[in-house]
Structures are given as C-alpha cells and as structure tokens.
C-alpha cells in the first residue's frame, strides 16, 4: 500500500491530490526584520484573509494541491499557514529544509559533530523531525525537502545543508526540491552532489529550470532521471511567459512530459518582493497565472490534455508519494 502524503489537514492519498502546484509560497518573511522593522505592507490579519481568498479562487480554477516550499531561512511559520489551511478547500503541503545560498547562522558553527557543542548535526535532526513528527509542535508534517545553490556554488555551509537533506531523504524517502540557477549550471552540480550521497535522481526536482531556454541542458538533466521544475511562470522580469511556454512545448514534443512539473514560485506576501513591487514589475506573478494564462497558451501551442495531466497531476503524485520502502529505520547510509 502506498503511504499517504502529509498535508496541513492530515494525510491524503497520492491519487487524491489532483492538479498540483509543486513550487509555491504562502508567506515569505525575515523574522528578525519582521520583529524589529516591520514591513509597511505586512498586516498579519489581512494577510490571512488575502491568502484564503487567493487559494479559494485557485480551487475554483481547478487546482487541488499547493506545495508551500517556505523553509527555514525564508521566515517559515507553519502555525500561521495552518490557520489558512483550515479555511481553504485546497490541500497545502509543508516543506522542511534550509534556504541559504552561502552561510548558515552562527548557531550552526558551534553545534554538530566535531564542533564546540558536540552532538549530531542539528540540521538532520530538524529535517527528520519535521517529516516524521511535525513542525514546531503543530503536528503538521513536512512532505518534501527544499535546498538551495546559487551563484556562490556549494559552499561549506550549503554543502552541509545538502548533505543533511540527503541524509533525511535516505531516512524518510521524501523527495528533495532545489532552487537552482540554470544559467550557471548549478542543477547538474546539485544532482552530482546529492546522487553521490544516496539520493536517487527520480526523487529529485531541479527547481527553476524554466529560467533557461537551453534545451540541451534541460535534456541532460532529465536524461539522468531527474524531474525539472518549470516553476516560475509569471516571473516575466526574469523571462517572459511566452518563452517559458515555448520551452515546455519543445520538451513535450521531444517526449519529456513525464519529467516536468509546473508552478509559479509565487507568494501571497513576500518581504523580498512585496505586493506593491509585484504589481508594477510582475503583474502575472500569482497563483492564477497557470490556469488563466499559461495552460491556454500550452494548449494553443499543441500540448494535449494528457500532457497537462501528466505535468500537473501524475508527476506531482509520484514525487510526493513517500516510497513504500521509506520506514523509520536508523539514520545513515
């Protein structure tokens, strides 16, 4: 029997997830800044209502599940998102992991194997606990792991995060999703690093792959067995949607429907790119862009309903379903 997928409201069978956005955010913040210098556009109560309205509209447009990849380093507040989840008809899935492109906070320099405060790596403990027991006492279990490499490459601290993610993956079987920079080829580095630490390519999503139009690069990744995230529709300040769609269509024609997932990397509120900025510079960067604009563009370009179902339903269900072999066996290789 295939294990169920943990959501904010409890376990759901993979076959019941329906059309799924695999790379989104609800609220992105910066806890120290938020505490000491609140953003003028952030109103916690109004933000809840905004998120509920956005996710309810999304359900009306046919989407049934949203993966919230807000992890440590991005102001993750699972208790706040749980208040949204209880009011909306879509399934929300939480993530564990750590978002850093260079260094970790000072705490991690003193805690861990061979460090001042000797003990197990707290990153591994956090990731596994989030997946198996729940996050921050909420009982909401993480359904995926999120990690990052960017222009700095795999620094010592980024390597530590990726290593901890690989260990948590081996322990739980949960899929790893990445933030990558396809213009710098970091997805290939992520694949090599994680695979060398026991992560099977078919349990890895190289995120933000739609930021490039280099079909050869994308095909090399998929030919290794990974899934690529075409997950920044609406980020037209990076690459226009028409060009992102053209890349997906070209890959569909080459037979890669079973190795792509679609999403926006959008948020109801992000301190990094607040609503006023998005309204001017990225007006289509929101949850509704796929069902309202992108899917019609894909269909007009020749994508079949089977293609769209594969990318929005079948592939996410496969990636989010914990494999039967995942058990509570001891951590380690």
């Amino acid at each position: 029997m295939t294990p169920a997928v943990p959501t904010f409201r409890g376990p759901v069978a993979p076959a019941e997830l329906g059309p799924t956005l695999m790379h989104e955010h609800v609220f992105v913040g910066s806890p120290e800044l938020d505490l000491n210098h609140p953003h003028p556009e952030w109103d916690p109560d109004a933000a809840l209502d905004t998120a509920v309205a956005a996710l309810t509209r999304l359900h009306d447009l046919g989407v049934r599940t949203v993966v919230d990849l807000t992890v440590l380093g991005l102001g993750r507040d699972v208790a706040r998102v749980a208040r949204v989840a209880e009011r909306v008809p879509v399934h929300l899935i939480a993530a564990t992991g750590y978002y850093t492109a260079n260094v970790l906070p000072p705490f991690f320099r003193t805690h861990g194997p061979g460090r001042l405060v000797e003990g197990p790596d707290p990153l591994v403990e956090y990731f596994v606990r989030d997946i198996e027991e729940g996050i921050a006492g909420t009982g909401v279990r993480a359904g995926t792991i999120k990690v990052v490499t960017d222009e700095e490459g795999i620094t010592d601290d980024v390597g530590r995060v990726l290593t901890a993610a690989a260990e948590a993956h081996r322990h739980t079987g949960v899929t790893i999703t990445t933030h990558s920079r396809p213009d710098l080829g970091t997805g290939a580095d992520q694949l090599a690093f994680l695979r060398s630490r026991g992560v099977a390519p078919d349990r890895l999503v190289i995120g933000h792959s739609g930021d490039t139009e280099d079909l050869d690069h994308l095909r090399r990744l998929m030919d290794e067995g990974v899934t690529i995230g075409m997950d920044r529709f609406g980020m037209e300040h990076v690459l226009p949607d028409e060009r992102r769609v053209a890349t997906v269509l070209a890959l569909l024609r080459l037979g890669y429907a079973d190795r792509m997932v679609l999403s926006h990397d959008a948020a109801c509120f992000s301190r990094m790119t607040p609503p006023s900025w998005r309204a001017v510079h990225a007006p289509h960067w929101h949850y509704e862009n796929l069902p309202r604009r992108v899917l019609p563009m894909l269909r007009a370009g020749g994508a079949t309903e089977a293609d769209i179902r594969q990318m929005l339903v079948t592939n996410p269900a496969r990636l989010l379903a914990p494999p039967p072999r995942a058990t509570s066996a001891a951590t380690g290789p």
Side-chain angles (χ1 to χ4, degrees):
M1 180 178 178
T2 303
V5 179
T7 77
F8 272 79
R9 294 196 301 266
V12 173
E16 297 176 4
L17 294 175
T20 299
L21 302 183
M22 284 288 289
H23 196 129
E24 305 292 349
H25 301 276
V26 180
F27 306 122
V28 175
S30 176
E32 282 193 309
L33 284 174
D34 296 341
L35 179 63
N36 293 280
H37 301 284
H39 194 280
E41 295 180 47
W42 172 249
D43 178 328
D45 294 329
L48 292 178
D49 292 337
T50 297
V52 168
L55 290 162
T56 300
R57 288 195 304 270
L58 188 60
H59 184 272
D60 294 341
L61 292 168
V63 173
R64 294 294 176 263
T65 301
V66 173
V67 181
D68 181 358
L69 290 179
T70 311
V71 296
L72 298 177
L74 289 176
R76 183 183 70 177
D77 187 338
V78 168
R80 175 175 283 126
V81 178
R83 294 170 62 191
V84 174
E86 67 187 12
R87 295 171 56 191
V88 298
V90 299
H91 303 299
L92 286 173
I93 296 174
T96 190
Y98 210 107
Y99 191 100
T100 180
N102 40 48
V103 297
L104 288 162
F107 166 84
F108 293 99
R109 297 176 196 162
T110 60
H111 286 69
R115 298 175 186 268
L116 179 65
V117 183
E118 176 73 39
D121 191 333
L123 287 168
V124 178
E125 293 188 329
Y126 295 164
F127 298 171
V128 172
R129 185 186 310 148
D130 285 354
I131 294 164
E132 294 192 334
E133 300 176 23
I135 300 169
T138 63
V140 175
R141 295 168 49 226
T144 192
I145 303 168
K146 166 75 175 296
V147 295
V148 175
T149 68
D150 210 287
E151 60 184 345
E152 297 90 338
I154 301 178
T155 65
D156 288 345
D157 279 4
V158 169
R160 184 177 174 187
V161 174
L162 266 61
T163 298
E167 186 166 347
H169 161 81
R170 294 197 310 270
H171 185 69
T172 64
V174 168
T175 293
I176 297 174
T177 297
T178 75
H179 163 111
S180 79
R181 281 284 300 275
D183 58 320
L184 302 176
T186 63
D189 297 335
Q190 293 170 348
L191 171 60
F193 189 98
L194 292 167
R195 181 158 56 183
S196 72
R197 286 155 178 79
V199 179
D202 65 354
R203 301 298 289 170
L204 178 62
V205 181
I206 302 297
H208 308 335
S209 293
D211 284 358
T212 184
E213 298 169 279
D214 185 343
L215 298 184
D216 290 338
H217 166 74
L218 298 175
R219 292 180 70 185
R220 282 193 295 271
L221 289 175
M222 291 186 286
D223 288 344
E224 292 290 336
V226 305
T227 300
I228 60 172
M230 312 304 273
D231 52 29
R232 281 183 155 181
F233 285 103
M235 288 184 66
E236 297 189 280
H237 53 292
V238 177
L239 191 68
D241 280 351
E242 289 79 4
R243 291 165 65 182
R244 295 178 184 274
V245 166
T247 300
V248 172
L249 289 170
L251 292 171
L252 288 175
R253 288 191 290 270
L254 291 167
Y256 289 101
D258 63 335
R259 276 160 280 182
M260 290 188 283
V261 291
L262 308 177
S263 212
H264 306 96
D265 196 17
C268 296
F269 179 89
S270 172
R271 180 159 190 146
M272 290 189 284
T273 50
S276 60
W277 183 92
R278 293 188 182 210
V280 174
H281 299 283
H284 299 302
W285 193 16
H286 52 73
Y287 299 153
E288 297 177 41
N289 189 38
L290 264 167
R292 290 193 183 278
R293 294 179 68 247
V294 174
L295 294 185
M297 290 164 64
L298 285 169
R299 292 184 177 106
T304 67
E305 294 305 314
D307 290 332
I308 291 170
R309 180 172 181 83
Q310 183 77 45
M311 294 185 290
L312 279 179
V313 178
T314 306
N315 295 345
R318 168 179 59 83
L319 292 161
L320 292 168
R325 67 182 179 275
T327 66
S328 2
T331 311

